[in-house]
Tab-separated table of all heavy atoms in Angstrom:
chain	number	residue	atom	x	y	z
O	1331	ARG	N	-133.918	-2.363	-63.834
O	1331	ARG	CA	-134.730	-1.145	-63.994
O	1331	ARG	C	-134.757	-0.675	-65.442
O	1331	ARG	O	-135.581	0.139	-65.824
O	1331	ARG	CB	-134.184	-0.006	-63.120
O	1331	ARG	CG	-134.243	-0.287	-61.628
O	1331	ARG	CD	-133.454	0.745	-60.878
O	1331	ARG	NE	-132.035	0.614	-61.248
O	1331	ARG	CZ	-131.068	1.425	-60.867
O	1331	ARG	NH1	-131.342	2.448	-60.091
O	1331	ARG	NH2	-129.824	1.244	-61.241
O	1332	ILE	N	-133.839	-1.193	-66.250
O	1332	ILE	CA	-133.682	-0.752	-67.640
O	1332	ILE	C	-134.306	-1.765	-68.584
O	1332	ILE	O	-134.050	-2.961	-68.479
O	1332	ILE	CB	-132.180	-0.571	-67.967
O	1332	ILE	CG1	-131.581	0.511	-67.082
O	1332	ILE	CG2	-131.983	-0.252	-69.444
O	1332	ILE	CD1	-130.079	0.643	-67.210
O	1333	LYS	N	-135.124	-1.254	-69.519
O	1333	LYS	CA	-135.676	-2.116	-70.573
O	1333	LYS	C	-134.801	-1.987	-71.808
O	1333	LYS	O	-134.411	-0.886	-72.205
O	1333	LYS	CB	-137.101	-1.693	-70.911
O	1333	LYS	CG	-138.061	-2.008	-69.794
O	1333	LYS	CD	-139.282	-2.653	-70.336
O	1333	LYS	CE	-140.180	-2.994	-69.156
O	1333	LYS	NZ	-141.477	-3.364	-69.547
O	1334	VAL	N	-134.505	-3.128	-72.398
O	1334	VAL	CA	-133.669	-3.189	-73.586
O	1334	VAL	C	-134.524	-3.665	-74.747
O	1334	VAL	O	-135.327	-4.585	-74.606
O	1334	VAL	CB	-132.472	-4.144	-73.356
O	1334	VAL	CG1	-131.649	-4.306	-74.610
O	1334	VAL	CG2	-131.615	-3.641	-72.205
O	1335	VAL	N	-134.342	-3.027	-75.903
O	1335	VAL	CA	-135.098	-3.372	-77.105
O	1335	VAL	C	-134.175	-4.098	-78.072
O	1335	VAL	O	-133.041	-3.670	-78.298
O	1335	VAL	CB	-135.683	-2.110	-77.773
O	1335	VAL	CG1	-136.495	-2.476	-79.003
O	1335	VAL	CG2	-136.519	-1.317	-76.781
O	1336	THR	N	-134.688	-5.179	-78.628
O	1336	THR	CA	-133.959	-5.976	-79.605
O	1336	THR	C	-134.848	-6.178	-80.814
O	1336	THR	O	-136.056	-6.396	-80.670
O	1336	THR	CB	-133.605	-7.357	-79.012
O	1336	THR	OG1	-132.913	-7.167	-77.768
O	1336	THR	CG2	-132.744	-8.165	-79.950
O	1337	ALA	N	-134.271	-6.126	-82.001
O	1337	ALA	CA	-135.032	-6.441	-83.209
O	1337	ALA	C	-135.256	-7.943	-83.272
O	1337	ALA	O	-134.368	-8.727	-82.935
O	1337	ALA	CB	-134.280	-5.972	-84.453
O	1338	THR	N	-136.455	-8.330	-83.694
O	1338	THR	CA	-136.731	-9.742	-83.935
O	1338	THR	C	-136.103	-10.117	-85.279
O	1338	THR	O	-135.599	-9.257	-86.008
O	1338	THR	CB	-138.246	-9.994	-83.998
O	1338	THR	OG1	-138.773	-9.247	-85.103
O	1338	THR	CG2	-138.938	-9.608	-82.702
O	1339	THR	N	-136.163	-11.385	-85.612
O	1339	THR	CA	-135.669	-11.813	-86.924
O	1339	THR	C	-136.402	-11.060	-88.026
O	1339	THR	O	-135.780	-10.575	-88.974
O	1339	THR	CB	-135.851	-13.338	-87.085
O	1339	THR	OG1	-135.121	-13.989	-86.036
O	1339	THR	CG2	-135.362	-13.818	-88.431
O	1340	GLU	N	-137.720	-10.934	-87.886
O	1340	GLU	CA	-138.504	-10.203	-88.892
O	1340	GLU	C	-138.074	-8.738	-88.958
O	1340	GLU	O	-137.934	-8.159	-90.042
O	1340	GLU	CB	-139.995	-10.291	-88.573
O	1340	GLU	CG	-140.874	-9.583	-89.590
O	1340	GLU	CD	-142.354	-9.623	-89.247
O	1340	GLU	OE1	-142.759	-10.343	-88.311
O	1340	GLU	OE2	-143.110	-8.896	-89.925
O	1341	GLY	N	-137.834	-8.122	-87.806
O	1341	GLY	CA	-137.390	-6.729	-87.769
O	1341	GLY	C	-136.027	-6.546	-88.413
O	1341	GLY	O	-135.804	-5.584	-89.154
O	1342	THR	N	-135.115	-7.462	-88.144
O	1342	THR	CA	-133.776	-7.396	-88.735
O	1342	THR	C	-133.845	-7.553	-90.249
O	1342	THR	O	-133.191	-6.816	-90.993
O	1342	THR	CB	-132.867	-8.485	-88.120
O	1342	THR	OG1	-132.779	-8.256	-86.712
O	1342	THR	CG2	-131.482	-8.465	-88.735
O	1343	GLU	N	-134.654	-8.512	-90.706
O	1343	GLU	CA	-134.815	-8.702	-92.156
O	1343	GLU	C	-135.413	-7.465	-92.809
O	1343	GLU	O	-135.001	-7.061	-93.902
O	1343	GLU	CB	-135.679	-9.938	-92.431
O	1343	GLU	CG	-134.974	-11.238	-92.096
O	1343	GLU	CD	-135.891	-12.454	-92.132
O	1343	GLU	OE1	-137.109	-12.308	-92.404
O	1343	GLU	OE2	-135.376	-13.558	-91.887
O	1344	LEU	N	-136.386	-6.840	-92.150
O	1344	LEU	CA	-137.005	-5.638	-92.686
O	1344	LEU	C	-136.011	-4.478	-92.732
O	1344	LEU	O	-135.983	-3.709	-93.695
O	1344	LEU	CB	-138.249	-5.272	-91.878
O	1344	LEU	CG	-139.124	-4.150	-92.415
O	1344	LEU	CD1	-139.496	-4.364	-93.879
O	1344	LEU	CD2	-140.380	-4.021	-91.563
O	1345	ALA	N	-135.156	-4.358	-91.731
O	1345	ALA	CA	-134.124	-3.310	-91.733
O	1345	ALA	C	-133.199	-3.480	-92.939
O	1345	ALA	O	-132.866	-2.502	-93.623
O	1345	ALA	CB	-133.319	-3.344	-90.432
O	1346	HIS	N	-132.787	-4.716	-93.228
O	1346	HIS	CA	-131.924	-4.979	-94.387
O	1346	HIS	C	-132.658	-4.657	-95.686
O	1346	HIS	O	-132.080	-4.082	-96.610
O	1346	HIS	CB	-131.445	-6.431	-94.393
O	1346	HIS	CG	-130.487	-6.750	-93.297
O	1346	HIS	ND1	-129.240	-6.176	-93.189
O	1346	HIS	CD2	-130.601	-7.579	-92.236
O	1346	HIS	CE1	-128.625	-6.635	-92.124
O	1346	HIS	NE2	-129.436	-7.493	-91.520
O	1347	LEU	N	-133.928	-5.005	-95.742
O	1347	LEU	CA	-134.737	-4.732	-96.925
O	1347	LEU	C	-134.861	-3.227	-97.166
O	1347	LEU	O	-134.734	-2.755	-98.302
O	1347	LEU	CB	-136.124	-5.371	-96.753
O	1347	LEU	CG	-137.002	-5.509	-97.968
O	1347	LEU	CD1	-136.319	-6.294	-99.070
O	1347	LEU	CD2	-138.304	-6.205	-97.572
O	1348	ILE	N	-135.098	-2.473	-96.112
O	1348	ILE	CA	-135.216	-1.015	-96.232
O	1348	ILE	C	-133.917	-0.440	-96.800
O	1348	ILE	O	-133.943	0.352	-97.754
O	1348	ILE	CB	-135.563	-0.375	-94.877
O	1348	ILE	CG1	-136.994	-0.727	-94.487
O	1348	ILE	CG2	-135.358	1.136	-94.908
O	1348	ILE	CD1	-137.337	-0.433	-93.038
O	1349	ARG	N	-132.807	-0.852	-96.252
O	1349	ARG	CA	-131.518	-0.351	-96.762
O	1349	ARG	C	-131.318	-0.728	-98.223
O	1349	ARG	O	-130.845	0.078	-99.022
O	1349	ARG	CB	-130.372	-0.898	-95.924
O	1349	ARG	CG	-130.191	-0.166	-94.633
O	1349	ARG	CD	-128.832	-0.491	-94.045
O	1349	ARG	NE	-128.535	0.428	-92.977
O	1349	ARG	CZ	-128.105	0.054	-91.800
O	1349	ARG	NH1	-127.897	-1.213	-91.530
O	1349	ARG	NH2	-127.844	0.948	-90.869
O	1350	ASP	N	-131.685	-1.954	-98.575
O	1350	ASP	CA	-131.524	-2.416	-99.951
O	1350	ASP	C	-132.410	-1.655	-100.931
O	1350	ASP	O	-132.081	-1.550	-102.106
O	1350	ASP	CB	-131.833	-3.912	-100.062
O	1350	ASP	CG	-130.782	-4.789	-99.418
O	1350	ASP	OD1	-129.663	-4.285	-99.137
O	1350	ASP	OD2	-131.067	-5.980	-99.172
O	1351	GLU	N	-133.531	-1.143	-100.453
O	1351	GLU	CA	-134.491	-0.480	-101.334
O	1351	GLU	C	-134.288	1.030	-101.442
O	1351	GLU	O	-135.097	1.716	-102.062
O	1351	GLU	CB	-135.920	-0.780	-100.880
O	1351	GLU	CG	-136.310	-2.222	-101.102
O	1351	GLU	CD	-137.735	-2.524	-100.684
O	1351	GLU	OE1	-138.526	-1.588	-100.460
O	1351	GLU	OE2	-138.060	-3.718	-100.581
O	1352	LEU	N	-133.230	1.558	-100.893
O	1352	LEU	CA	-132.939	2.989	-101.029
O	1352	LEU	C	-132.329	3.226	-102.414
O	1352	LEU	O	-131.174	3.607	-102.568
O	1352	LEU	CB	-132.018	3.471	-99.908
O	1352	LEU	CG	-132.624	3.449	-98.511
O	1352	LEU	CD1	-131.574	3.783	-97.461
O	1352	LEU	CD2	-133.803	4.398	-98.414
O	1353	HIS	N	-133.150	2.990	-103.441
O	1353	HIS	CA	-132.669	3.005	-104.825
O	1353	HIS	C	-132.202	4.386	-105.287
O	1353	HIS	O	-131.194	4.489	-105.984
O	1353	HIS	CB	-133.746	2.471	-105.770
O	1353	HIS	CG	-134.148	1.069	-105.480
O	1353	HIS	ND1	-133.250	0.016	-105.481
O	1353	HIS	CD2	-135.349	0.534	-105.144
O	1353	HIS	CE1	-133.878	-1.104	-105.176
O	1353	HIS	NE2	-135.153	-0.819	-104.962
O	1354	SER	N	-132.916	5.451	-104.923
O	1354	SER	CA	-132.518	6.792	-105.371
O	1354	SER	C	-131.159	7.168	-104.811
O	1354	SER	O	-130.297	7.691	-105.523
O	1354	SER	CB	-133.559	7.832	-104.947
O	1354	SER	OG	-134.779	7.583	-105.593
O	1355	VAL	N	-130.970	6.906	-103.525
O	1355	VAL	CA	-129.691	7.223	-102.890
O	1355	VAL	C	-128.583	6.379	-103.507
O	1355	VAL	O	-127.523	6.892	-103.867
O	1355	VAL	CB	-129.764	6.984	-101.362
O	1355	VAL	CG1	-128.398	7.133	-100.718
O	1355	VAL	CG2	-130.767	7.931	-100.728
O	1356	ARG	N	-128.834	5.091	-103.654
O	1356	ARG	CA	-127.816	4.200	-104.215
O	1356	ARG	C	-127.468	4.621	-105.644
O	1356	ARG	O	-126.293	4.663	-106.021
O	1356	ARG	CB	-128.305	2.752	-104.178
O	1356	ARG	CG	-127.229	1.762	-104.624
O	1356	ARG	CD	-127.589	0.320	-104.324
O	1356	ARG	NE	-127.438	0.064	-102.892
O	1356	ARG	CZ	-128.456	-0.008	-102.020
O	1356	ARG	NH1	-129.684	0.140	-102.411
O	1356	ARG	NH2	-128.234	-0.239	-100.741
O	1357	ALA	N	-128.479	4.954	-106.441
O	1357	ALA	CA	-128.231	5.362	-107.830
O	1357	ALA	C	-127.386	6.634	-107.872
O	1357	ALA	O	-126.474	6.750	-108.706
O	1357	ALA	CB	-129.554	5.573	-108.567
O	1358	ALA	N	-127.676	7.582	-106.997
O	1358	ALA	CA	-126.897	8.820	-106.970
O	1358	ALA	C	-125.448	8.534	-106.588
O	1358	ALA	O	-124.513	9.079	-107.189
O	1358	ALA	CB	-127.530	9.818	-106.006
O	1359	LEU	N	-125.256	7.676	-105.588
O	1359	LEU	CA	-123.893	7.348	-105.166
O	1359	LEU	C	-123.150	6.561	-106.243
O	1359	LEU	O	-121.952	6.758	-106.456
O	1359	LEU	CB	-123.918	6.575	-103.846
O	1359	LEU	CG	-124.374	7.394	-102.637
O	1359	LEU	CD1	-124.589	6.484	-101.434
O	1359	LEU	CD2	-123.401	8.511	-102.316
O	1360	GLU	N	-123.869	5.680	-106.940
O	1360	GLU	CA	-123.233	4.908	-108.012
O	1360	GLU	C	-122.890	5.786	-109.213
O	1360	GLU	O	-122.001	5.452	-109.994
O	1360	GLU	CB	-124.129	3.740	-108.426
O	1360	GLU	CG	-124.139	2.638	-107.386
O	1360	GLU	CD	-125.150	1.536	-107.665
O	1360	GLU	OE1	-125.978	1.679	-108.588
O	1360	GLU	OE2	-125.109	0.532	-106.929
O	1361	ALA	N	-123.578	6.931	-109.366
O	1361	ALA	CA	-123.281	7.847	-110.466
O	1361	ALA	C	-121.970	8.595	-110.238
O	1361	ALA	O	-121.396	9.144	-111.176
O	1361	ALA	CB	-124.431	8.836	-110.652
O	1362	LEU	N	-121.497	8.614	-109.002
O	1362	LEU	CA	-120.192	9.208	-108.724
O	1362	LEU	C	-119.102	8.287	-109.261
O	1362	LEU	O	-119.271	7.065	-109.299
O	1362	LEU	CB	-119.998	9.391	-107.214
O	1362	LEU	CG	-120.952	10.334	-106.498
O	1362	LEU	CD1	-120.716	10.271	-104.990
O	1362	LEU	CD2	-120.807	11.755	-107.012
Side-chain angles (χ1 to χ4, degrees):
R1331 297 169 295 174
I1332 298 173
K1333 290 226 178 168
V1334 176
V1335 181
T1336 306
T1338 62
T1339 301
E1340 181 182 351
T1342 300
E1343 290 170 359
L1344 188 51
H1346 291 296
L1347 195 57
I1348 290 166
R1349 281 196 167 131
D1350 289 345
E1351 291 181 14
L1352 293 173
H1353 299 302
S1354 295
V1355 173
R1356 186 168 285 103
L1359 292 170
E1360 287 173 352
L1362 297 174

